[in-house]
PDB file of all heavy atoms in Angstrom:
ATOM      1  N   ALA A 193      93.889  99.006  95.287  1.00 98.00           N
ATOM      2  CA  ALA A 193      95.150  99.444  96.135  1.00 98.00           C
ATOM      3  C   ALA A 193      95.869 100.493  95.161  1.00 98.00           C
ATOM      4  O   ALA A 193      95.774 100.263  93.897  1.00 98.00           O
ATOM      5  CB  ALA A 193      96.051  98.281  96.423  1.00 98.00           C
ATOM      6  N   VAL A 194      96.570 101.330  95.890  1.00 98.00           N
ATOM      7  CA  VAL A 194      97.474 102.317  95.167  1.00 98.00           C
ATOM      8  C   VAL A 194      98.931 102.114  95.795  1.00 98.00           C
ATOM      9  O   VAL A 194      99.013 102.262  96.998  1.00 98.00           O
ATOM     10  CB  VAL A 194      97.026 103.693  95.219  1.00 98.00           C
ATOM     11  CG1 VAL A 194      97.978 104.613  94.559  1.00 98.00           C
ATOM     12  CG2 VAL A 194      95.643 103.823  94.539  1.00 98.00           C
ATOM     13  N   LEU A 195      99.995 102.040  94.859  1.00 99.00           N
ATOM     14  CA  LEU A 195     101.277 102.035  95.371  1.00 99.00           C
ATOM     15  C   LEU A 195     102.004 103.347  95.045  1.00 99.00           C
ATOM     16  O   LEU A 195     101.693 103.839  93.933  1.00 99.00           O
ATOM     17  CB  LEU A 195     102.045 100.844  94.684  1.00 99.00           C
ATOM     18  CG  LEU A 195     101.569  99.522  94.865  1.00 99.00           C
ATOM     19  CD1 LEU A 195     102.356  98.442  93.988  1.00 99.00           C
ATOM     20  CD2 LEU A 195     101.625  99.059  96.368  1.00 99.00           C
ATOM     21  N   VAL A 196     102.560 103.911  95.932  1.00 99.00           N
ATOM     22  CA  VAL A 196     103.192 105.208  95.762  1.00 99.00           C
ATOM     23  C   VAL A 196     104.768 105.089  96.004  1.00 99.00           C
ATOM     24  O   VAL A 196     105.140 104.661  97.015  1.00 99.00           O
ATOM     25  CB  VAL A 196     102.690 106.239  96.616  1.00 99.00           C
ATOM     26  CG1 VAL A 196     103.355 107.763  96.434  1.00 99.00           C
ATOM     27  CG2 VAL A 196     101.097 106.271  96.483  1.00 99.00           C
ATOM     28  N   GLY A 197     105.536 105.560  95.038  1.00 98.00           N
ATOM     29  CA  GLY A 197     106.993 105.349  95.195  1.00 98.00           C
ATOM     30  C   GLY A 197     107.664 106.749  95.053  1.00 98.00           C
ATOM     31  O   GLY A 197     107.442 107.581  94.124  1.00 98.00           O
ATOM     32  N   LYS A 198     108.706 106.796  95.927  1.00 98.00           N
ATOM     33  CA  LYS A 198     109.652 108.019  95.834  1.00 98.00           C
ATOM     34  C   LYS A 198     110.603 107.782  94.770  1.00 98.00           C
ATOM     35  O   LYS A 198     111.375 106.701  94.826  1.00 98.00           O
ATOM     36  CB  LYS A 198     110.413 108.244  97.119  1.00 98.00           C
ATOM     37  CG  LYS A 198     111.425 109.333  97.164  1.00 98.00           C
ATOM     38  CD  LYS A 198     112.234 109.418  98.485  1.00 98.00           C
ATOM     39  CE  LYS A 198     113.349 110.308  98.480  1.00 98.00           C
ATOM     40  NZ  LYS A 198     114.167 110.303  99.710  1.00 98.00           N
ATOM     41  N   GLY A 199     110.589 108.705  93.675  1.00 98.00           N
ATOM     42  CA  GLY A 199     111.510 108.465  92.507  1.00 98.00           C
ATOM     43  C   GLY A 199     112.459 109.629  92.272  1.00 98.00           C
ATOM     44  O   GLY A 199     112.575 110.208  91.386  1.00 98.00           O
ATOM     45  N   ILE A 200     113.160 109.980  93.519  1.00 98.00           N
ATOM     46  CA  ILE A 200     114.322 110.959  93.493  1.00 98.00           C
ATOM     47  C   ILE A 200     115.363 110.298  92.721  1.00 98.00           C
ATOM     48  O   ILE A 200     116.190 109.632  93.408  1.00 98.00           O
ATOM     49  CB  ILE A 200     114.531 111.540  94.777  1.00 98.00           C
ATOM     50  CG1 ILE A 200     113.243 112.161  95.400  1.00 98.00           C
ATOM     51  CG2 ILE A 200     115.696 112.599  94.721  1.00 98.00           C
ATOM     52  CD1 ILE A 200     112.710 113.400  94.727  1.00 98.00           C
ATOM     53  N   THR A 201     115.581 110.674  91.574  1.00 98.00           N
ATOM     54  CA  THR A 201     116.685 109.863  90.742  1.00 98.00           C
ATOM     55  C   THR A 201     118.102 110.353  91.093  1.00 98.00           C
ATOM     56  O   THR A 201     119.096 109.582  90.818  1.00 98.00           O
ATOM     57  CB  THR A 201     116.422 110.017  89.181  1.00 98.00           C
ATOM     58  OG1 THR A 201     116.374 111.359  88.816  1.00 98.00           O
ATOM     59  CG2 THR A 201     115.069 109.362  88.814  1.00 98.00           C
ATOM     60  N   PHE A 202     118.274 111.525  91.683  1.00 98.00           N
ATOM     61  CA  PHE A 202     119.481 111.937  92.234  1.00 98.00           C
ATOM     62  C   PHE A 202     119.157 113.128  93.303  1.00 98.00           C
ATOM     63  O   PHE A 202     118.335 113.864  93.016  1.00 98.00           O
ATOM     64  CB  PHE A 202     120.439 112.567  91.232  1.00 98.00           C
ATOM     65  CG  PHE A 202     121.874 112.789  91.794  1.00 98.00           C
ATOM     66  CD1 PHE A 202     122.638 111.710  92.234  1.00 98.00           C
ATOM     67  CD2 PHE A 202     122.196 114.034  92.196  1.00 98.00           C
ATOM     68  CE1 PHE A 202     123.919 111.919  92.765  1.00 98.00           C
ATOM     69  CE2 PHE A 202     123.384 114.284  92.814  1.00 98.00           C
ATOM     70  CZ  PHE A 202     124.301 113.216  93.075  1.00 98.00           C
ATOM     71  N   ASP A 203     119.832 113.033  94.477  1.00 98.00           N
ATOM     72  CA  ASP A 203     119.527 113.928  95.504  1.00 98.00           C
ATOM     73  C   ASP A 203     120.754 114.558  95.997  1.00 98.00           C
ATOM     74  O   ASP A 203     121.668 113.967  96.676  1.00 98.00           O
ATOM     75  CB  ASP A 203     118.855 113.172  96.603  1.00 98.00           C
ATOM     76  CG  ASP A 203     118.528 114.041  97.855  1.00 98.00           C
ATOM     77  OD1 ASP A 203     118.444 115.243  97.605  1.00 98.00           O
ATOM     78  OD2 ASP A 203     118.398 113.564  98.973  1.00 98.00           O
ATOM     79  N   SER A 204     121.043 115.761  95.539  1.00 97.00           N
ATOM     80  CA  SER A 204     122.156 116.555  96.054  1.00 97.00           C
ATOM     81  C   SER A 204     121.873 117.141  97.360  1.00 97.00           C
ATOM     82  O   SER A 204     122.804 117.679  98.133  1.00 97.00           O
ATOM     83  CB  SER A 204     122.374 117.767  95.079  1.00 97.00           C
ATOM     84  OG  SER A 204     121.521 118.654  95.108  1.00 97.00           O
ATOM     85  N   GLY A 205     120.609 117.155  97.861  1.00 97.00           N
ATOM     86  CA  GLY A 205     120.284 117.835  99.015  1.00 97.00           C
ATOM     87  C   GLY A 205     119.743 119.205  98.773  1.00 97.00           C
ATOM     88  O   GLY A 205     119.168 119.893  99.784  1.00 97.00           O
ATOM     89  N   GLY A 206     119.784 119.748  97.595  1.00 97.00           N
ATOM     90  CA  GLY A 206     119.440 121.106  97.288  1.00 97.00           C
ATOM     91  C   GLY A 206     120.432 122.054  98.074  1.00 97.00           C
ATOM     92  O   GLY A 206     121.515 121.768  98.313  1.00 97.00           O
ATOM     93  N   TYR A 207     119.777 123.225  98.475  1.00 97.00           N
ATOM     94  CA  TYR A 207     120.588 124.244  99.190  1.00 97.00           C
ATOM     95  C   TYR A 207     120.995 123.627 100.554  1.00 97.00           C
ATOM     96  O   TYR A 207     121.969 124.166 101.113  1.00 97.00           O
ATOM     97  CB  TYR A 207     119.889 125.504  99.213  1.00 97.00           C
ATOM     98  CG  TYR A 207     120.058 126.353  97.979  1.00 97.00           C
ATOM     99  CD1 TYR A 207     118.934 126.514  97.120  1.00 97.00           C
ATOM    100  CD2 TYR A 207     121.193 126.821  97.632  1.00 97.00           C
ATOM    101  CE1 TYR A 207     119.024 127.135  95.928  1.00 97.00           C
ATOM    102  CE2 TYR A 207     121.546 127.459  96.416  1.00 97.00           C
ATOM    103  CZ  TYR A 207     120.263 127.703  95.748  1.00 97.00           C
ATOM    104  OH  TYR A 207     120.351 128.411  94.476  1.00 97.00           O
ATOM    105  N   SER A 208     120.401 122.749 101.157  1.00 96.00           N
ATOM    106  CA  SER A 208     120.876 121.967 102.334  1.00 96.00           C
ATOM    107  C   SER A 208     121.747 120.818 101.834  1.00 96.00           C
ATOM    108  O   SER A 208     121.460 119.588 102.110  1.00 96.00           O
ATOM    109  CB  SER A 208     119.603 121.423 103.123  1.00 96.00           C
ATOM    110  OG  SER A 208     118.652 122.342 103.495  1.00 96.00           O
ATOM    111  N   ILE A 209     122.758 121.261 101.079  1.00 96.00           N
ATOM    112  CA  ILE A 209     123.614 120.416 100.203  1.00 96.00           C
ATOM    113  C   ILE A 209     124.254 119.276 101.107  1.00 96.00           C
ATOM    114  O   ILE A 209     124.812 119.552 102.096  1.00 96.00           O
ATOM    115  CB  ILE A 209     124.598 121.182  99.482  1.00 96.00           C
ATOM    116  CG1 ILE A 209     125.157 120.305  98.254  1.00 96.00           C
ATOM    117  CG2 ILE A 209     125.739 121.665 100.296  1.00 96.00           C
ATOM    118  CD1 ILE A 209     125.937 121.100  97.224  1.00 96.00           C
ATOM    119  N   LYS A 210     124.210 118.046 100.549  1.00 96.00           N
ATOM    120  CA  LYS A 210     125.006 116.991 101.153  1.00 96.00           C
ATOM    121  C   LYS A 210     126.538 117.056 101.067  1.00 96.00           C
ATOM    122  O   LYS A 210     127.011 117.720 100.129  1.00 96.00           O
ATOM    123  CB  LYS A 210     124.570 115.605 100.568  1.00 96.00           C
ATOM    124  CG  LYS A 210     123.055 115.199 100.687  1.00 96.00           C
ATOM    125  CD  LYS A 210     122.798 114.033 100.081  1.00 96.00           C
ATOM    126  CE  LYS A 210     121.306 113.599 100.177  1.00 96.00           C
ATOM    127  NZ  LYS A 210     120.959 113.194 101.475  1.00 96.00           N
ATOM    128  N   SER A 211     127.259 116.320 101.906  1.00 94.00           N
ATOM    129  CA  SER A 211     128.637 116.226 101.776  1.00 94.00           C
ATOM    130  C   SER A 211     128.914 115.386 100.546  1.00 94.00           C
ATOM    131  O   SER A 211     128.066 114.591  99.999  1.00 94.00           O
ATOM    132  CB  SER A 211     129.397 115.664 102.894  1.00 94.00           C
ATOM    133  OG  SER A 211     128.743 114.235 103.135  1.00 94.00           O
ATOM    134  N   SER A 212     130.208 115.416  99.937  1.00 95.00           N
ATOM    135  CA  SER A 212     130.439 114.611  98.799  1.00 95.00           C
ATOM    136  C   SER A 212     130.340 113.060  99.182  1.00 95.00           C
ATOM    137  O   SER A 212     129.684 112.402  98.304  1.00 95.00           O
ATOM    138  CB  SER A 212     132.004 114.809  98.400  1.00 95.00           C
ATOM    139  OG  SER A 212     132.306 114.067  97.344  1.00 95.00           O
ATOM    140  N   GLU A 213     130.692 112.683 100.260  1.00 92.00           N
ATOM    141  CA  GLU A 213     130.594 111.339 100.629  1.00 92.00           C
ATOM    142  C   GLU A 213     129.139 110.978 100.912  1.00 92.00           C
ATOM    143  O   GLU A 213     128.749 109.697 100.601  1.00 92.00           O
ATOM    144  CB  GLU A 213     131.533 110.960 101.813  1.00 92.00           C
ATOM    145  CG  GLU A 213     131.173 111.581 103.161  1.00 92.00           C
ATOM    146  CD  GLU A 213     131.948 112.947 103.330  1.00 92.00           C
ATOM    147  OE1 GLU A 213     132.400 113.449 102.221  1.00 92.00           O
ATOM    148  OE2 GLU A 213     132.101 113.368 104.495  1.00 92.00           O
ATOM    149  N   GLY A 214     128.372 111.886 101.267  1.00 90.00           N
ATOM    150  CA  GLY A 214     126.961 111.574 101.520  1.00 90.00           C
ATOM    151  C   GLY A 214     126.201 111.589 100.149  1.00 90.00           C
ATOM    152  O   GLY A 214     125.040 111.085 100.158  1.00 90.00           O
ATOM    153  N   MET A 215     126.762 112.115  99.250  1.00 95.00           N
ATOM    154  CA  MET A 215     125.874 112.339  97.927  1.00 95.00           C
ATOM    155  C   MET A 215     126.390 111.197  96.971  1.00 95.00           C
ATOM    156  O   MET A 215     125.565 111.014  95.931  1.00 95.00           O
ATOM    157  CB  MET A 215     126.325 113.627  97.285  1.00 95.00           C
ATOM    158  CG  MET A 215     125.346 114.219  96.324  1.00 95.00           C
ATOM    159  SD  MET A 215     125.915 115.704  95.518  1.00 95.00           S
ATOM    160  CE  MET A 215     126.197 116.804  96.807  1.00 95.00           C
ATOM    161  N   VAL A 216     127.383 110.530  97.173  1.00 95.00           N
ATOM    162  CA  VAL A 216     127.908 109.568  96.104  1.00 95.00           C
ATOM    163  C   VAL A 216     126.958 108.483  95.855  1.00 95.00           C
ATOM    164  O   VAL A 216     126.984 107.952  94.710  1.00 95.00           O
ATOM    165  CB  VAL A 216     129.348 109.099  96.567  1.00 95.00           C
ATOM    166  CG1 VAL A 216     129.341 108.013  97.616  1.00 95.00           C
ATOM    167  CG2 VAL A 216     130.058 108.477  95.323  1.00 95.00           C
ATOM    168  N   SER A 217     126.154 108.012  96.734  1.00 94.00           N
ATOM    169  CA  SER A 217     125.210 106.891  96.378  1.00 94.00           C
ATOM    170  C   SER A 217     123.777 107.325  96.269  1.00 94.00           C
ATOM    171  O   SER A 217     122.929 106.512  96.285  1.00 94.00           O
ATOM    172  CB  SER A 217     125.348 105.953  97.650  1.00 94.00           C
ATOM    173  OG  SER A 217     124.896 106.480  98.792  1.00 94.00           O
ATOM    174  N   MET A 218     123.682 108.707  96.089  1.00 97.00           N
ATOM    175  CA  MET A 218     122.316 109.193  96.049  1.00 97.00           C
ATOM    176  C   MET A 218     121.550 108.876  94.669  1.00 97.00           C
ATOM    177  O   MET A 218     120.384 109.331  94.531  1.00 97.00           O
ATOM    178  CB  MET A 218     122.285 110.756  96.320  1.00 97.00           C
ATOM    179  CG  MET A 218     122.366 111.023  97.811  1.00 97.00           C
ATOM    180  SD  MET A 218     121.058 110.367  98.781  1.00 97.00           S
ATOM    181  CE  MET A 218     121.656 108.887  99.498  1.00 97.00           C
ATOM    182  N   LYS A 219     122.124 108.128  93.929  1.00 97.00           N
ATOM    183  CA  LYS A 219     121.373 107.498  92.620  1.00 97.00           C
ATOM    184  C   LYS A 219     120.298 106.492  93.266  1.00 97.00           C
ATOM    185  O   LYS A 219     119.330 106.201  92.630  1.00 97.00           O
ATOM    186  CB  LYS A 219     122.313 106.814  91.862  1.00 97.00           C
ATOM    187  CG  LYS A 219     123.041 105.607  92.422  1.00 97.00           C
ATOM    188  CD  LYS A 219     124.039 104.822  91.425  1.00 97.00           C
ATOM    189  CE  LYS A 219     124.646 103.826  92.195  1.00 97.00           C
ATOM    190  NZ  LYS A 219     125.594 102.931  91.160  1.00 97.00           N
ATOM    191  N   CYS A 220     120.501 106.036  94.557  1.00 97.00           N
ATOM    192  CA  CYS A 220     119.514 105.148  95.110  1.00 97.00           C
ATOM    193  C   CYS A 220     118.334 105.691  95.698  1.00 97.00           C
ATOM    194  O   CYS A 220     117.471 104.948  96.124  1.00 97.00           O
ATOM    195  CB  CYS A 220     120.297 104.262  96.138  1.00 97.00           C
ATOM    196  SG  CYS A 220     120.395 105.109  97.870  1.00 97.00           S
ATOM    197  N   ASP A 221     118.104 106.948  95.589  1.00 97.00           N
ATOM    198  CA  ASP A 221     117.110 107.640  96.222  1.00 97.00           C
ATOM    199  C   ASP A 221     115.798 107.412  95.474  1.00 97.00           C
ATOM    200  O   ASP A 221     114.700 107.849  95.993  1.00 97.00           O
ATOM    201  CB  ASP A 221     117.339 109.081  96.452  1.00 97.00           C
ATOM    202  CG  ASP A 221     116.769 109.656  97.668  1.00 97.00           C
ATOM    203  OD1 ASP A 221     116.489 108.903  98.534  1.00 97.00           O
ATOM    204  OD2 ASP A 221     116.758 110.928  97.803  1.00 97.00           O
ATOM    205  N   MET A 222     115.885 106.735  94.368  1.00 98.00           N
ATOM    206  CA  MET A 222     114.617 106.241  93.702  1.00 98.00           C
ATOM    207  C   MET A 222     114.372 104.824  93.958  1.00 98.00           C
ATOM    208  O   MET A 222     113.453 104.203  93.227  1.00 98.00           O
ATOM    209  CB  MET A 222     114.686 106.430  92.218  1.00 98.00           C
ATOM    210  CG  MET A 222     116.157 106.118  91.554  1.00 98.00           C
ATOM    211  SD  MET A 222     116.553 104.513  91.628  1.00 98.00           S
ATOM    212  CE  MET A 222     115.295 103.783  90.564  1.00 98.00           C
ATOM    213  N   ALA A 223     114.938 104.227  94.934  1.00 98.00           N
ATOM    214  CA  ALA A 223     114.735 102.844  95.238  1.00 98.00           C
ATOM    215  C   ALA A 223     113.196 102.550  95.780  1.00 98.00           C
ATOM    216  O   ALA A 223     112.899 101.505  95.506  1.00 98.00           O
ATOM    217  CB  ALA A 223     115.688 102.432  96.378  1.00 98.00           C
TER     218      ALA A 223
END
Side-chain angles (χ1 to χ4, degrees):
V194 178
L195 302 176
V196 181
K198 175 186 172 184
I200 300 296
T201 56
F202 188 77
D203 181 19
S204 73
Y207 278 110
S208 304
I209 195 167
K210 295 177 182 289
S211 64
S212 180
E213 61 271 21
M215 203 186 301
V216 70
S217 61
M218 280 299 101
K219 64 182 183 181
C220 81
D221 218 14
M222 40 64 67

